[in-house]
Amino acid sequence: MVEFKDGFAAAQERAIAAYREWPRKSFAEFMELVPIPDHICKQGKDIKRFMSRQPAWLEGKELPWDVLFQNIKGPRPRHTGLGVFGGCVYAQASLAAARAVEEEERQQKEATGEAKPRPGIHSIQGIFTKPGLGDRPFVFDVCGIMSARTFSGCRVDVRQPKQPSSNPAGPFPDSDAGLPLNDICFSCITTFKRPADGADDVQSPESAQKRYADILSQRAPDQWEPAPLSDIDIITSLFPGAGHGAFPMLDMYKVDMSEYNENKEVPDRRQLILYRPIKPVPKDDVNGHIACHAFEADRNGLTMLANQLGYGFNMGMAASLSYSFFVHTNPQDAVMDGEGWWIQEINWPRVGASRGMLESRIWSPDGKHVASAFQDGIIVPARAPREARRTKL
């Protein structure tokens, strides 16, 4: 880490004083998807096209870097990755698939008069291929790949225009979808399942609420630290207590698990994140709720693993390669109703071949294991430890 002289403490005080409350978009604002009609862009037979309306969130963007380093010469720590937060495109891609399926359901109901139980997202299996850019929309091409009585699936390919939007701060105009598009930056298969009664309902006998009751009882959920804007040791040490920034849709709090994890090997360590919507998501939009859970589960997982591995002040790269999300219950069980706090229970069972594995369990406020997420990504330290640099303030 860069060594600073005594003046750095004063610079850090100025940076902390510069923290401010940022406007935070709700689910309805941030996840807005616009269906793109054929007269704007011919997307091909059996393909439904959607476009995001708002810029994706960029980790660490709201931190007051200029205030902290205004009198410092020389290189600064890199505070963001190459692209925007991948959970944005992941959640919106699955929601675009859901909107396409919901429209088909509506049309079938109008044609036949038959009302069927509404299908909910069952799984999202995605691959990240290029970093996303924040100054232009994502364009989602949804194509059905199979449809049965209770189970169906769609493929979603996501691209971005080759040029920035005419309104890069958003909302993006519909015409952006007609611009020449770059190569695929994300692709996923999203499957859907209609609600069904099951003969059995089995889960771990101890929910996260029971297993970690002693820790969770130490303070109220919103008295833990807000999930860091970029959860890597070098950044959190520079900007302690930075708050939520402009992170959209959800309040997320990181439980202090340091005592629990002490003297445990990395695969045996755990991290708990408590979360709920900043504004209510419509109760009847079950797929919107599931997309929120998938959005939440993607945040900071690999960088937290970097900290656990000791790369927090010597970070080389952390980048998602693939991410799978599975809902184990009927979709209605994923609805975030009321003021209850949901729990993401995280562990890292395997690291090898310059990759790390992240596993999450999503627990409802009443202790039901609703969903699981599995993420594999590149995680490597810098090629050589960064030499300390003397910098003048």
Side-chain angles (χ1 to χ4, degrees), residues 20-24 57 62-63 226-227 229 242-248 299:
R20 64 181 179 87
E21 292 294 323
W22 290 80
R24 300 175 65 198
W57 184 72
E62 298 96 37
L63 294 172
L229 300 183
H244 297 287
F247 184 72
R299 188 175 176 198

Side-chain angles (χ1 to χ4, degrees), residues 2-15 64-76 390-393:
V2 177
E3 275 189 4
F4 299 100
K5 293 189 176 182
D6 293 341
F8 177 72
Q12 193 172 43
E13 287 183 6
R14 289 196 301 270
W65 289 91
D66 291 341
V67 174
L68 182 66
F69 291 103
Q70 63 184 358
N71 296 320
I72 295 175
K73 298 179 180 179
R76 305 178 180 184
R390 296 191 177 274
T391 311
K392 293 183 178 180
L393 276 168

Side-chain angles (χ1 to χ4, degrees), residues 307-378:
N307 295 333
Q308 299 290 343
L309 293 169
Y311 304 169
F313 291 95
N314 187 39
M315 190 66 223
M317 177 183 292
S320 297
L321 295 174
S322 61
Y323 170 25
S324 298
F325 187 88
F326 298 91
V327 178
H328 308 303
T329 64
N330 284 329
Q332 191 63 33
D333 290 330
V335 171
M336 294 176 284
D337 191 8
E339 297 297 313
W341 290 89
W342 289 67
I343 297 179
Q344 179 194 12
E345 179 187 7
I346 307 167
N347 69 293
W348 303 274
R350 189 72 171 94
V351 178
S354 295
R355 300 198 316 276
M357 176 68 184
L358 168 72
E359 180 179 356
S360 294
R361 293 183 182 185
I362 303 299
W363 299 90
S364 70
D366 60 358
K368 181 175 286 189
H369 180 191
V370 171
S372 296
F374 305 89
Q375 187 173 2
D376 181 84
I378 297 171

Side-chain angles (χ1 to χ4, degrees), residues 51 201 260 283 287 313 320 341-342:
M51 186 189 76
D201 189 350
Y260 177 89
K283 293 181 182 179
N287 288 315
F313 291 95
S320 297
W341 290 89
W342 289 67

Side-chain angles (χ1 to χ4, degrees), residues 150-368:
T150 63
F151 188 73
S152 62
C154 296
R155 186 184 78 243
V156 186
D157 292 329
V158 188
R159 298 174 175 84
Q160 290 188 289
K162 293 183 178 181
Q163 65 192 64
S165 171
S166 58
N167 186 29
F172 302 126
D174 292 356
S175 57
D176 281 353
L179 297 173
L181 298 177
N182 226 320
D183 295 335
I184 291 172
C185 62
F186 177 77
S187 186
C188 73
I189 302 293
T190 302
T191 61
F192 297 85
K193 182 75 173 63
R194 296 188 192 277
D197 295 327
D200 297 293
D201 189 350
V202 180
Q203 67 174 44
S204 171
E206 278 198 320
S207 66
Q209 286 88 343
K210 292 179 180 179
R211 194 177 312 118
Y212 308 105
D214 289 347
I215 300 172
L216 294 171
S217 64
Q218 293 175 12
R219 54 182 92 169
D222 57 0
Q223 291 178 345
W224 297 101
E225 174 194 11
L229 300 183
S230 182
D231 197 347
I232 191 75
D233 286 341
I234 190 171
I235 307 301
T236 55
S237 65
L238 291 173
F239 299 100
H244 297 287
F247 184 72
M249 300 202 305
L250 303 170
D251 280 335
M252 294 177 61
Y253 291 91
K254 182 181 179 182
V255 177
D256 183 357
M257 300 294 288
S258 55
E259 184 175 347
Y260 177 89
N261 290 329
E262 188 175 4
N263 298 322
K264 287 184 172 67
E265 298 295 329
V266 170
D268 296 323
R269 298 174 191 173
R270 297 293 184 270
Q271 181 58 58
L272 302 182
I273 303 292
L274 309 178
Y275 68 96
R276 67 183 183 187
I278 58 176
K279 292 183 180 179
V281 179
K283 293 181 182 179
D284 61 350
D285 187 4
V286 293
N287 288 315
H289 285 263
I290 294 171
C292 284
H293 292 300
F295 177 79
E296 183 279 335
D298 189 37
R299 188 175 176 198
N300 282 335
L302 286 175
T303 54
M304 287 191 289
L305 173 56
N307 295 333
Q308 299 290 343
L309 293 169
Y311 304 169
F313 291 95
N314 187 39
M315 190 66 223
M317 177 183 292
S320 297
L321 295 174
S322 61
Y323 170 25
S324 298
F325 187 88
F326 298 91
V327 178
H328 308 303
T329 64
N330 284 329
Q332 191 63 33
D333 290 330
V335 171
M336 294 176 284
D337 191 8
E339 297 297 313
W341 290 89
W342 289 67
I343 297 179
Q344 179 194 12
E345 179 187 7
I346 307 167
N347 69 293
W348 303 274
R350 189 72 171 94
V351 178
S354 295
R355 300 198 316 276
M357 176 68 184
L358 168 72
E359 180 179 356
S360 294
R361 293 183 182 185
I362 303 299
W363 299 90
S364 70
D366 60 358
K368 181 175 286 189

